[in-house]
């Protein structure tokens, strides 16, 4: 088990509708005032990262969406320690523009910006904004070139690159980012192409929620591939957290979320993502085995099972760490109050269990 403490990130609710596709009451807002206060609460609670979402159109009933990079900068301006991961979609973004934009934010915020490269799953969104829809593996090949281009622009002078999607000749970015060697690069997905990218070029790999056994299989595969590439990649796992004083209360909340799911939006989302996964050569992807109930939290967050008392959740987080997870990316029903509760009740138990485990191993 890693000697480093497991890290925590939260999903920035910069799209409307919260993190579950349900008509249950959600005391979460997508507006900037709510999000600035949430970022300050999260920072105080012990969260190291926040991930802002990139959406151009409604994919699962999220009618309104704030743009991720500019929204991330606003959150950074309201905090002092939190690192914000801005999601970027190759296609609408060119790597030169992204490298310049993120380098400037990195300097303005004393090295607190990171980036999540999203390959895309929603064909209707690409069509709506006039972006050409590439086949599954082509989207990931473009993402890999995008990441290689970002790293080259951020770290080299007179950078020259010859790819199929991006080409540069003797480009020098000035000033370069403060973070060395460059801002952290996250990337997600569960297909072979996604894992291959992570094992070759990404700093972090995000995966959907899953059981401990399922996550272990992914971690083992990526770590073996990364070792063959002489590369190291850290692992982040999605989870929807329902922490309550009793297990019964937590399970009752989960049941209410699912009972009040919006079936039309859940099924429409499921149709799109399963089509996207089926288009991969292996005919699988993040959501290949997701049930209707799983898709109510659209990144399979219920599967990770961080639902119960603070003690139960802390023990499950340490079990995730034991199979190689470095970071938990958490969603909540009522963000501000539940992030504060997590920081007060769950996180100290995690640190206590980590310390006991390390002491035993010493």
């Amino acid at each position: 088990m890693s000697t480093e403490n497991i890290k925590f990130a939260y999903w920035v609710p910069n799209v409307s509708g919260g993190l579950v596709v349900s008509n249950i009451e959600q005391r979460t807002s997508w507006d900037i005032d709510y999000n600035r206060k949430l970022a300050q609460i999260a920072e105080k609670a012990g969260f190291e990262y926040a991930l802002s979402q990139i959406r151009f159109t409604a994919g699962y009933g999220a009618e309104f969406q704030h743009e991720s990079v500019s929204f991330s900068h606003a959150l950074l301006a309201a905090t002092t320690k939190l690192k914000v991961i801005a999601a970027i979609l190759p296609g609408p973004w060119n790597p030169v523009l992204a490298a310049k934009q993120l380098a400037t934010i990195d300097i303005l915020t004393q090295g607190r910006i990171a980036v999540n490269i999203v390959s895309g799953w929603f064909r209707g969104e690409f069509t709506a904004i006039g972006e050409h829809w590439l086949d599954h593996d082509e989207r990931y090949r473009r993402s890999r070139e995008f990441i290689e281009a970002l790293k080259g622009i951020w770290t080299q002078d007179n950078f020259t690159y010859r790819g199929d999607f991006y080409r540069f000749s003797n480009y020098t970015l000035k000033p370069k980012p403060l973070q060395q060697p460059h801002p952290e690069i996250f990337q997600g997905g569960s297909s072979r192409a996604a894992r291959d990218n992570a094992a070759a070029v990404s700093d972090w790999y995000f995966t959907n929620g899953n059981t401990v056994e399922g996550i272990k299989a992914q971690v083992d595969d990526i770590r073996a591939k990364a070792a063959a590439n002489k590369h190291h990649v850290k692992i982040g796992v999605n989870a929807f957290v329902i922490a309550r004083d009793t297990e019964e209360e937590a399970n009752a909340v989960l049941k209410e979320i699912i009972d009040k799911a919006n079936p039309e939006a859940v099924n429409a989302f499921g149709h799109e993502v399963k089509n996207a996964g089926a288009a991969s050569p292996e005919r699988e992807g993040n959501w290949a085995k997701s049930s209707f109930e799983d898709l109510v939290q659209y990144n399979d967050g219920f599967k990770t099972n961080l639902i119960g008392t603070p003690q139960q959740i802390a023990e499950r987080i340490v079990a995730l760490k034991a199979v190689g997870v470095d970071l938990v990316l958490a969603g909540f029903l009522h963000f501000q109050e539940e992030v504060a509760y997590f920081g007060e009740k769950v996180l100290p138990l995690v640190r206590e269990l980590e310390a006991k485990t390390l002491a035993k191993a010493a």
Side-chain angles (χ1 to χ4, degrees):
M1 184 187 291
S2 171
T3 56
E4 288 186 23
N5 284 341
I6 194 166
K7 298 181 185 304
F8 294 94
Y10 73 91
W11 283 97
V12 174
N14 57 308
V15 302
S16 61
L19 267 289
V20 289
V21 190
S22 172
N23 295 319
I24 191 173
E25 179 198 13
Q26 297 187 62
R27 293 188 290 277
T28 291
S29 172
W30 62 292
D31 70 45
I32 186 60
D33 289 341
Y34 179 92
N35 271 284
R36 283 195 186 103
K37 185 175 177 187
L38 171 59
Q40 291 162 352
I41 291 169
E43 188 173 69
K44 186 177 175 186
F47 282 71
E48 290 97 338
Y49 295 91
L51 171 64
S52 61
Q53 306 168 63
I54 177 64
R55 290 258 62 85
F56 288 90
T57 65
Y60 33 80
E63 185 177 5
F64 304 106
Q65 311 90 25
H66 284 303
E67 190 276 317
S68 57
V69 178
S70 47
F71 206 80
S72 297
H73 192 199
L75 300 184
L76 288 164
T79 51
T80 58
K81 294 184 294 183
L82 192 71
K83 185 175 278 191
V84 183
I85 310 161
I88 283 183
L89 193 62
W93 268 273
N94 172 291
V96 173
L97 171 62
K100 186 77 173 168
Q101 187 178 28
L102 294 164
T104 298
I105 295 174
D106 199 54
I107 291 165
L108 294 177
T109 62
Q110 295 299 303
R112 293 191 292 124
I113 189 72
V115 62
N116 181 37
I117 304 302
V118 179
S119 296
W121 51 265
F122 188 14
R123 182 171 189 161
E125 183 174 60
F126 277 61
T127 303
I129 63 172
E131 277 294 327
H132 183 60
W133 178 249
L134 300 173
D135 289 343
H136 177 275
D137 277 16
E138 289 294 279
R139 295 199 300 278
Y140 280 95
R141 204 158 65 83
R142 180 172 64 179
S143 292
R144 182 165 177 160
E145 286 193 10
F146 194 98
I147 293 170
E148 289 171 345
L150 275 184
K151 290 166 105 172
I153 293 168
W154 278 335
T155 59
Q156 298 178 37
D157 289 339
N158 302 313
F159 176 61
T160 294
Y161 184 81
R162 292 288 181 266
D164 291 334
F165 298 93
Y166 305 109
R167 295 191 166 212
F168 305 94
S169 297
N170 297 316
Y171 177 58
T172 298
L173 171 73
K174 291 185 177 179
K176 289 189 165 44
L178 290 182
Q179 293 182 78
Q180 294 297 318
H182 52 73
E184 292 175 285
I185 299 174
F186 292 72
Q187 169 247 315
S190 289
S191 65
R192 175 200 45 77
R195 296 196 302 270
D196 286 350
N197 274 2
V201 294
S202 307
D203 299 313
W204 285 88
Y205 170 75
F206 273 139
T207 186
N208 271 8
N210 205 337
T211 61
V212 171
E213 293 75 21
I215 290 166
K216 181 179 186 307
Q218 289 186 57
V219 171
D220 290 348
D221 178 58
I222 290 169
R223 291 266 158 81
K225 287 179 177 178
N229 293 329
K230 297 183 179 176
H231 182 69
H232 179 70
V233 59
K234 295 181 180 178
I235 311 291
V237 173
N238 182 62
F240 193 82
V241 177
I242 306 175
R244 297 294 186 271
D245 291 343
T246 68
E247 185 177 3
E248 291 71 24
E249 286 177 82
N251 287 332
V253 173
L254 174 64
K255 183 175 185 304
E256 186 181 357
I257 291 171
I258 292 172
D259 286 348
K260 293 182 177 177
N262 179 335
E264 186 179 343
V266 173
N267 286 327
F269 173 72
H271 176 74
E272 288 294 336
V273 295
K274 286 176 188 293
N275 274 347
S280 68
E282 304 79 25
R283 301 187 67 76
E284 66 177 19
N286 261 338
W287 297 274
K289 297 174 184 173
S290 302
S291 66
F292 176 90
E293 288 76 14
D294 295 329
L295 293 170
V296 175
Q297 203 295 302
Y298 45 78
N299 287 107
D300 282 339
F302 301 147
K303 284 185 180 177
T304 313
N305 194 26
L306 299 190
I307 297 165
T309 65
Q311 183 68 34
Q312 289 172 321
I313 291 172
E315 289 171 0
R316 290 167 189 163
I317 289 170
V318 174
L320 291 171
K321 179 179 174 180
V323 298
V325 170
D326 300 291
L327 176 148
V328 172
L329 172 59
F332 299 88
L333 188 62
H334 312 300
F335 265 83
Q336 288 185 355
E337 59 219 68
E338 294 191 30
V339 163
Y341 182 91
F342 187 90
E344 182 184 349
K345 303 284 188 179
V346 179
L347 220 151
L349 293 175
V350 173
R351 299 303 181 222
E352 191 178 305
L353 289 172
E354 286 180 311
K356 282 182 183 173
T357 306
L358 285 176
K360 256 187 209 175

